[in-house]
Structures are given as C-alpha cells and as structure tokens.
C-alpha cells in the first residue's frame, strides 16, 4: 500500500524532552510526535477484483492439473525435443496464469479481512469514522509494531492479524540544500545540521543537538518542518499460527 508524503505538525517540545532522556531514533521519534492529515481515500476495489477473478481463476486452476508435470526431467543430459518444449511452454503458461490469479485472490482476501478489522475497530471504539487516520485504501492505521490486531479462527489454532510497520520521518538533503541556495536558511543553519562527507550530508546528531538546545530549537524546528516527509507505516494482513 502506498503512502504519499504528508505535511506534518510536530510537537518539538516533547521531542526535546525525549531526546534528553535517551538515544532515540530522530526520524521515528518525530513521526510518533507528528500530527498529519489523513490522505484522500480510494474506494474499495473488492467488487471489481471479484468479477475479474472469477473466470480467470477457475480457468487457471482447472487447466493446471492437466498440463502439470507431463514432462519429466531427462535421466541423462540431452536436448529437449519439440514436443517436450511445447508441453513445457503450455505448463509454464498455465503456472504463470494460476500464480497471477491466486495472488490477486490473496490480495482480495486481505482486503476483506482488513474491512473486517475496520468494522471491529469501530464497534469496539478503537476507531472513529472521520477522525481516526486511514491509509489510501480507507483502512484504519491503528495497529503498531508490537501491538497487532487479531482475529482468531475457531478450532484451528490460527488467526488473521493486521500489523503495521513503524512510522518514519525522512529528512531530504535536496530540500535542505535548496533552502540554503534560496536564502530561506542561512549558511550557519545549513552547516549546523550537516556534516562533511564528500560534500555535505544531513547529520542526525547535529539535528538532535539543535532540538535539545533551548536557544537553537526554534531554528531546528523551522528547518525540520521544511525538510521532513512523514510516512505512516503500512498495514499488512497475515495468517499466523498460535506460536507466530
């Protein structure tokens, strides 16, 4: 699932306090303390996918057993004859078609299960329509690393999960350089948050030091707002066993 860059509002005071207390990753910390608008949602594609899948999936699944494994590996090293090559081509085409159709069906299953998790989240108060952040497919971003959503399956020891990768704020060196070249920030500011490595590159250590300093925090905040892109972690649907 795609996450476009979003314009964030940061709580730099909390960031400074957290940085004083430990050696946290600056990009992850800022993402955790960022408030960003929800991206525009795309409509669900479940119905369209179902209609497209039905015929091609059944055709692929029906054809595959007929052509599968008809040509056995030669017992001695030799060239293949024309009949063998033709049969292998038919089998390969059937396999490719089946894989494509099955992958699409797998994605459709993930979409249906994610909708299930959305409804459960609304019913239990974990998500509120119009307020809780969603991804571009319209699914809630409420799970986090170490805290996943689960849907147990009766009697199987398995369960569906919805898991999400960490949020992250990435810092753009090209944006920072353009700010300096345009005169938006001074040379002193540019040098204050970069270090020389075959030219200059952003230094997280220097940015951390600027944020912790009461005198330099406002300058750091201005620069970080202009060069950072917050990308929310992405959801994934998994089928796990009891030990997963």
């Amino acid at each position: 699932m795609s996450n476009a860059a979003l314009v964030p509002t940061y709580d730099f005071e909390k960031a400074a306090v957290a940085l004083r207390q430990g050696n946290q990753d600056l990009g992850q910390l800022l993402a955790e303390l960022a408030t960003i608008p929800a991206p525009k949602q795309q409509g669900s594609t479940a119905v369209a996918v179902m209609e497209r899948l039905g015929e091609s999936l059944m055709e692929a699944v029906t054809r595959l057993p007929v052509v599968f494994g008809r040509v056995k590996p030669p017992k001695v090293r030799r060239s293949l004859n024309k009949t063998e090559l033709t049969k292998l081509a038919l089998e390969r085409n059937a396999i490719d078609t089946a894989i494509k159709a099955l992958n699409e069906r797998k994605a459709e299953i993930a979409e249906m299960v994610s909708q299930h998790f959305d409804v459960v989240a609304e019913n239990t108060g974990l998500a509120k329509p119009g307020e809780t952040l969603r991804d571009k497919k319209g699914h809630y971003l409420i799970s986090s690393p170490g805290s996943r959503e689960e849907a147990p399956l009766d009697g199987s020891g398995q369960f569906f999960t919805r898991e999400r990768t960490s949020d992250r704020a990435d810092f753009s060196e090209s944006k920072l350089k353009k700010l300096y070249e345009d005169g938006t920030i001074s040379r002193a500011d540019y040098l204050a948050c970069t270090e020389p490595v075959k030219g200059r590159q952003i230094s997280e250590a220097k940015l951390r030091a600027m944020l912790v300093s009461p005198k330099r925090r406002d300058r750091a905040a201005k620069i970080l707002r202009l060069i950072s892109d917050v990308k929310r972690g992405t959801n994934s649907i998994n089928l796990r066993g009891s030990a997963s």
Side-chain angles (χ1 to χ4, degrees), residues 161-179:
T161 68
R162 182 161 68 180
E163 305 170 38
R164 185 159 70 97
T165 57
S166 298
D167 296 340
R168 176 81 194 175
D170 294 327
F171 309 123
S172 169
E173 292 186 8
S174 61
K175 286 184 178 181
L176 180 65
K177 187 174 182 181
K178 189 173 189 306
L179 292 173

Side-chain angles (χ1 to χ4, degrees), residues 71 78-90:
V71 178
R78 64 171 175 80
S79 62
L80 300 174
N81 59 47
K82 292 182 179 180
T83 299
E84 290 172 325
L85 289 172
T86 299
K87 289 180 178 179
L88 288 175
L90 290 172

Side-chain angles (χ1 to χ4, degrees), residues 60-210:
V61 171
T62 301
R63 186 177 358 131
L64 187 56
V66 177
V67 298
F68 189 82
R70 292 173 63 189
V71 178
K72 304 299 181 185
K75 294 181 179 180
V76 297
R77 186 172 179 269
R78 64 171 175 80
S79 62
L80 300 174
N81 59 47
K82 292 182 179 180
T83 299
E84 290 172 325
L85 289 172
T86 299
K87 289 180 178 179
L88 288 175
L90 290 172
E91 181 180 0
R92 174 59 187 267
N93 286 332
I95 289 172
D96 288 344
T97 301
I99 288 175
K100 182 176 183 295
L102 291 171
N103 282 335
E104 289 181 345
R105 175 58 181 172
K106 188 175 179 180
E108 184 180 55
I109 291 172
E111 175 70 15
M112 289 188 287
V113 174
S114 207
Q115 288 182 7
H116 162 81
F117 280 122
D118 289 340
V119 174
V120 171
E122 291 175 353
N123 291 342
T124 57
L126 290 175
K128 296 182 179 180
E131 297 181 19
T132 304
L133 190 67
R134 299 175 184 243
D135 63 20
K136 281 196 169 183
K137 289 187 175 181
H139 300 304
Y140 293 118
L141 292 168
I142 56 177
S143 60
S144 60
S147 179
R148 64 192 182 189
E149 299 163 84
E150 297 183 356
L153 308 177
D154 291 342
S156 69
Q158 289 186 306
F159 51 93
F160 280 110
T161 68
R162 182 161 68 180
E163 305 170 38
R164 185 159 70 97
T165 57
S166 298
D167 296 340
R168 176 81 194 175
D170 294 327
F171 309 123
S172 169
E173 292 186 8
S174 61
K175 286 184 178 181
L176 180 65
K177 187 174 182 181
K178 189 173 189 306
L179 292 173
Y180 167 52
E181 292 173 344
D182 292 347
T184 304
I185 63 173
S186 67
R187 177 171 176 77
D189 289 330
Y190 179 68
L191 296 178
C193 53
T194 60
E195 57 189 3
V197 182
K198 293 183 180 179
R200 297 194 70 84
Q201 70 177 27
I202 290 175
S203 168
E204 182 171 321
K206 288 189 173 184
L207 288 171
R208 293 167 62 92
M210 290 175 71

Side-chain angles (χ1 to χ4, degrees), residues 34-54:
T35 301
I36 61 177
K40 293 181 179 179
Q41 300 170 20
Q42 296 175 347
S44 171
T45 59
V47 174
V49 172
M50 173 67 82
E51 292 174 351
R52 187 176 70 251
L53 271 179

Side-chain angles (χ1 to χ4, degrees), residues 5-49:
L6 301 170
V7 179
T9 300
Y10 297 110
D11 190 329
F12 289 107
E13 293 294 331
K14 287 186 178 179
V17 171
L19 289 172
R20 291 192 192 98
Q21 294 174 346
N23 189 31
Q24 293 180 261
D25 181 276
L26 182 58
Q28 186 171 344
L29 174 63
L30 289 181
E32 291 172 357
L33 298 175
T35 301
I36 61 177
K40 293 181 179 179
Q41 300 170 20
Q42 296 175 347
S44 171
T45 59
V47 174
V49 172

